Amino acid sequence: MKNKLFSGESINIEYKVEMPKKSEKYMKTVVAFANGRGGRIVFGVDDKTLNIVGMNPDTIFQTMDAITNAISDSCEPKIYPDVTLQSIDDKTIIVVEIHPGPMRPYYIKNKGLVDGTYVRVAGTSRHAEGYMLKELILEGQNRYFDNEPCEYLEINEDDIKDLCDKMKKIAIENTWNDEEKAAIRDVTKNILITWGILKEDNGKIIPTNAYALLTGKMQIQPTIQCAVFKGKTRAYFVDRREFSGPIQDQVQLAFQYVLEKINMGMQIKGIYRQDVYELPINSVRELIANAVAHRNYLEPGNIQVAIFDDRLEVTSPGMLLNTVSIKKMIEGYSRLRNPAIANAFAYMKIIEKWGTGIPRILRECKEYGLKKPELIDFDGDFRVNMYRREEKSKTTQTTTQTTTQTTTQITTQTTIKLTKNDHEILQVIQNNPALSQKEIAMELGWTVDRVKYYLNKMKKQEAIRRIGSSHKGYWELLIKL
């Protein structure tokens, strides 16, 4: 228990050296935990040093009651915490555990729903933006954005038949066995209603957001942005494209883009020559399709598919759902964010609906002899890195490293005294210079403020510098590790 409590602030742990006089200082975290995956607030621990200072033993029970009452009185809907004591090194701390709440959104009562709702992002409690609040409201009512009526869109029987025919055509194109092709059933209006792509209201057929996305008629239709970058960072574009239209078409166009840009070799099987891509192409397609099927469509951003010298990077807008974790995904667990789209994609043979995608991607990459793909939940987005074969970019890497070491090593290196924490953060930057401060914090299990402190310190020491913007730039080491 001690190791878990004192491993540093994270998405589900926060420390307070004492109980603040104003409860709002920790009430933001209380509602953020309730709106997310739950968490613990530990009173009596210094959040900067993690030193255990303990709580005053003479008033500790009054403090526990005050915390419980403050949470009960300040939050709407009511939140009932588990408040316990723990003795460590002859000092007593208070542990307040907040469970994930079923009645989202939770908010600070005196601030109101819009201003008082908070969520947990990258180890900090952040005010929920409009799209986050909308998703929490839908989640609390067991509703889904893609099932919601698309009120501005009018359709007729011909429109419905056109979508049904196109979906069956794609399903046949994505099926290789003639017997299975023949078994593909027609899509009908009633099936679309069952899937949530259409709704029936007093005898009138109403399109949902899923229908708008599948036909490319969303008022602001999302796109997939694709690009090739030189090296391992986003510093220099080599090529870029953006694909719009129906989301199922975007999947295919983005997939073809990747195939055009990655390397192809060959292998001999018996007397036959077989073309082989450097990445498992079924997994590449699955990555892109999953990003489209499971993204948060309330968030205004677009899916990005980026190709670097060392990896394929697919980034999808929207944090993981509250009951979903990376560990569960690796084990095959899946929870649908957009069930209507998932039903349509499963019928069209674009995705598997039952959580097999990530385990299959991991297995195929292992069979290809590739480095294990990296799954990252960060700063409101979800990203998967699929790594290319090292030998493909070995020459480029060697040239880049040699140039960097020759041109950026400074003469004052011997005067810079690096601490253990300095070395840890520099090692992360050396491995991936494109990481943001929040991504570095996630990699190290630190708070963002802690990362900012060390980065600023080393910039002043001229050990590192930032090239480009905070979002699209990269870190450059000015010393040799």
Side-chain angles (χ1 to χ4, degrees), residues 20-170:
K21 292 180 180 179
K22 291 185 177 181
S23 63
E24 189 179 310
K25 289 186 179 294
Y26 63 91
M27 215 54 63
K28 295 176 182 179
T29 301
V30 170
V31 296
F33 283 157
N35 284 325
R37 301 170 195 169
R40 294 187 178 102
I41 305 175
V42 184
F43 293 89
V45 177
D46 190 310
D47 62 320
K48 294 181 174 60
T49 64
L50 300 187
N51 288 335
I52 301 169
V53 299
M55 302 295 288
N56 185 342
D58 296 331
T59 59
I60 197 165
F61 291 105
Q62 292 95 315
T63 303
M64 291 175 68
D65 288 341
I67 293 170
T68 302
N69 292 334
I71 292 173
S72 178
D73 294 341
S74 301
C75 303
E76 188 74 31
K78 283 192 178 295
I79 296 171
Y80 300 97
D82 288 337
V83 184
T84 58
L85 299 177
Q86 286 194 34
S87 294
I88 299 172
D89 299 334
D90 297 324
K91 294 177 182 177
T92 304
I93 61 173
I94 297 175
V95 180
V96 179
E97 182 160 9
I98 307 297
H99 299 286
M103 300 173 66
R104 299 182 177 95
Y106 293 85
Y107 58 94
I108 299 172
K109 194 185 301 185
N110 64 13
K111 282 179 166 284
L113 178 65
V114 174
D115 294 329
T117 303
Y118 291 83
V119 292
R120 198 74 174 166
V121 179
T124 61
S125 298
R126 178 188 296 182
H127 178 255
E129 297 181 45
Y131 70 88
M132 293 179 178
L133 181 57
K134 288 177 183 176
E135 186 170 49
L136 286 171
I137 292 171
L138 289 174
E139 190 177 359
Q141 298 174 356
N142 198 29
R143 292 157 55 198
Y144 303 92
F145 171 77
D146 69 335
N147 284 162
E148 293 294 295
C150 187
E151 296 176 355
Y152 58 83
L153 193 59
E154 294 286 338
I155 59 171
N156 55 41
E157 292 293 329
D158 289 338
D159 295 328
I160 295 171
K161 185 178 185 306
D162 185 52
L163 176 60
C164 291
D165 291 344
K166 286 179 178 177
M167 289 176 64
K168 184 176 182 181
K169 180 182 178 183
I170 293 172

Side-chain angles (χ1 to χ4, degrees), residues 155-430:
I155 59 171
N156 55 41
E157 292 293 329
D158 289 338
D159 295 328
I160 295 171
K161 185 178 185 306
D162 185 52
L163 176 60
C164 291
D165 291 344
K166 286 179 178 177
M167 289 176 64
K168 184 176 182 181
K169 180 182 178 183
I170 293 172
I172 291 172
E173 289 172 351
N174 289 334
T175 305
W176 310 114
N177 182 289
D178 288 339
E179 187 175 337
E180 291 180 5
K181 285 180 187 286
I184 293 174
R185 59 178 177 164
D186 291 339
V187 184
T188 65
K189 178 170 66 178
N190 287 334
I191 289 175
L192 294 184
I193 292 171
T194 301
W195 287 346
I197 296 171
L198 300 175
K199 283 185 179 292
E200 189 172 13
D201 184 21
N202 294 324
K204 183 179 179 181
I205 300 301
I206 301 171
T208 66
N209 290 324
Y211 177 94
L213 290 164
L214 291 165
T215 56
K217 296 178 181 178
M218 200 73 180
Q219 208 161 38
I220 302 177
Q221 182 77 357
T223 64
I224 299 181
Q225 297 171 329
C226 296
V228 178
F229 293 93
K230 182 178 181 180
K232 298 182 181 180
T233 72
R234 293 178 180 242
Y236 301 105
F237 278 107
V238 175
D239 182 70
R240 54 182 159 182
R241 294 278 303 279
E242 185 167 312
F243 300 109
S244 57
I247 54 175
Q248 63 271 27
D249 295 348
Q250 292 183 31
V251 171
Q252 185 61 24
L253 291 168
F255 173 58
Q256 290 298 330
Y257 180 89
V258 174
L259 295 191
E260 291 170 8
K261 303 302 180 183
I262 62 175
N263 298 312
M264 180 190 286
M266 73 162 190
Q267 64 182 17
I268 304 298
K269 286 193 174 183
I271 61 173
Y272 299 101
R273 175 188 182 275
Q274 185 177 31
D275 291 330
V276 180
Y277 286 95
E278 62 170 309
L279 297 174
I281 59 174
N282 288 335
S283 292
V284 171
R285 189 169 185 268
E286 185 93 30
L287 273 186
I288 298 169
N290 279 344
V292 174
H294 298 300
R295 66 155 290 175
N296 181 354
Y297 282 99
L298 285 163
E299 187 171 345
N302 291 309
I303 291 168
Q304 293 187 338
V305 177
I307 302 172
F308 301 87
D309 283 359
D310 65 331
R311 69 193 186 279
L312 167 68
E313 183 182 277
V314 180
T315 305
S316 178
M319 295 179 292
L320 294 179
L321 291 168
N322 289 321
T323 59
V324 180
S325 67
I326 289 174
K327 182 180 178 182
K328 285 183 178 180
M329 292 174 68
I330 291 172
E331 293 171 351
Y333 175 81
S334 177
R335 179 184 163 201
L336 300 178
R337 177 177 249 134
N338 304 296
I341 292 172
N343 279 318
F345 273 30
Y347 169 81
M348 291 185 284
K349 315 295 182 185
I350 296 174
I351 65 165
E352 292 285 346
K353 214 170 31 169
W354 309 115
T356 60
I358 294 298
R360 185 166 60 250
I361 289 168
L362 295 174
R363 184 180 67 249
E364 288 190 356
C365 287
K366 184 177 181 180
E367 291 170 354
Y368 251 64
L370 302 175
K371 180 180 173 182
K372 185 178 179 181
E374 188 177 17
L375 282 61
I376 307 170
D377 184 16
F378 72 100
D379 196 24
D381 292 328
F382 179 68
R383 176 176 292 168
V384 179
N385 289 331
M386 181 183 288
Y387 288 93
R388 307 172 75 177
R389 296 187 188 279
E390 291 184 7
E391 59 265 28
K392 297 296 181 184
S393 55
K394 186 174 180 181
T395 304
T396 304
Q397 291 175 17
T398 303
T399 304
T400 303
Q401 289 168 359
T402 303
T403 304
T404 301
Q405 290 170 6
T406 302
T407 60
T408 64
Q409 189 172 347
I410 60 175
T411 58
T412 58
Q413 180 182 346
T414 54
T415 67
I416 298 177
K417 294 181 180 180
L418 298 177
T419 66
K420 179 176 178 291
N421 289 332
D422 293 333
H423 276 289
E424 287 184 15
I425 202 167
L426 289 172
Q427 191 63 56
V428 170
I429 289 172
Q430 181 170 272

